[in-house]
């Protein structure tokens, strides 16, 4: 299973043959294992880096995840059960899959020979809604049947959301305006009748 992240015109491979590539390995906050009781230094996991290698910019609202299986390597297409997990910093943003339930793979036809399928793939789209300025790690966990789960991570940078002002009246403003109009009409009627 190969996994690619796609944004705009960029396509970055994050998983190759079921193994997460360096720079995209999800590292929990404590990436160091405790040392021995004798006071030796802790062992740092070398495959983990403090920050994921890919950062999605503040103007990008979504990222596409392409899952691809080479038919020569594994003729049986894996099933994703249960649905993939998505982790992120809820204080900074909200991230969600736009098309849940996309766990079936579709063969893609080769351009040179439409009858030969060169690979099977499927796409999932992660959409972002930023709440405040900051950077959040996005972690996806794929559960492939009869295999270990696959974790990979990237960063999403958010800018402060713009406040949208509207020319429409608020409810208190509309009520005040309605009372003034009704009061004006009432005074005109009273002056005409008298």
């Amino acid at each position: 299973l190969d996994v690619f992240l796609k944004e705009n015109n960029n396509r970055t491979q994050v998983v190759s043959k079921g193994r997460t590539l360096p720079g995209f390995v999800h590292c929990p906050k404590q990436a160091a294992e405790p040392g021995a009781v004798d006071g030796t230094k802790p062992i740092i996991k070398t495959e983990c880096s403090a920050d994921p290698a890919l950062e999605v910019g503040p103007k990008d609202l979504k990222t596409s995840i392409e899952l691809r299986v080479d038919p020569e390597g594994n003729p049986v297409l894996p099933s994703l059960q249960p649905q993939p997990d998505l982790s992120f910093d809820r204080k900074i943003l909200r991230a969600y899959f736009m098309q849940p339930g996309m766990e079936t793979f579709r063969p893609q036809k080769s351009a040179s020979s439409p009858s030969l399928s060169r690979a099977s793939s499927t796409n999932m789209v992660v959409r972002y809604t930023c709440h405040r300025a900051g950077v959040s790690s996005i972690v996806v966990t794929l559960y492939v049947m009869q295999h270990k789960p696959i974790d990979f991570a990237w960063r999403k940078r958010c800018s402060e959301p713009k406040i949208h002002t509207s020319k429409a009246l608020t409810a208190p403003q509309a009520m005040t305006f309605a009372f003034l109009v009704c009061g004006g009409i009432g005074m005109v009627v009273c002056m005409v009748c008298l």
Side-chain angles (χ1 to χ4, degrees), residues 112-170:
S112 61
S113 173
S115 63
L116 295 175
S117 120
R118 58 172 193 234
S120 296
S121 70
T122 188
N123 288 307
M124 297 183 293
V125 178
V126 177
R127 185 155 174 84
Y128 313 105
T129 304
C130 291
H131 301 304
R132 64 197 299 200
V135 178
S136 172
S137 289
I138 308 293
V139 181
V140 173
T141 302
L142 300 175
Y143 299 99
V144 182
M145 295 216 26
Q146 301 176 351
H147 296 281
K148 289 182 179 179
I150 301 170
D151 289 329
F152 55 93
W154 68 95
R155 290 183 315 233
K156 169 66 174 131
R157 180 171 297 279
C158 287
S159 58
E160 189 73 30
K162 295 179 183 175
I163 299 173
H164 298 285
T165 57
S166 172
K167 294 183 180 180
L169 296 175
T170 63

Side-chain angles (χ1 to χ4, degrees), residues 1 3 7 20 33 49 60 90 94 102 111 113 124-125 135 138 148-149 152 156-157 166 170 180 182-183 185 188 193:
L1 179 67
V3 180
E7 54 163 323
T20 305
E33 295 177 5
S49 59
D60 296 319
R90 289 174 175 17
R94 176 178 175 244
M102 298 290 293
S113 173
M124 297 183 293
V125 178
V135 178
I138 308 293
K148 289 182 179 179
F152 55 93
K156 169 66 174 131
R157 180 171 297 279
S166 172
T170 63
L180 288 175
C182 288
I185 292 173
V188 169
C193 291

Side-chain angles (χ1 to χ4, degrees), residues 65-85:
I65 301 172
E66 179 185 359
L67 308 174
R68 182 178 281 281
V69 175
D70 188 3
E72 294 174 11
N74 185 3
V76 179
L77 300 175
S79 177
L80 299 179
Q81 292 292 333
Q83 292 293 320
D85 280 338

Side-chain angles (χ1 to χ4, degrees), residues 28-74:
K29 291 204 181 253
Q30 297 187 8
E33 295 177 5
V37 180
D38 61 2
T40 59
K41 292 184 179 179
I43 302 165
I44 305 286
K45 293 181 182 178
T46 55
E47 71 237 14
C48 287
S49 59
D51 293 319
L54 179 69
E55 182 172 295
V56 176
K59 293 184 180 181
D60 296 319
L61 302 177
K62 62 184 178 180
T63 299
S64 180
I65 301 172
E66 179 185 359
L67 308 174
R68 182 178 281 281
V69 175
D70 188 3
E72 294 174 11
N74 185 3

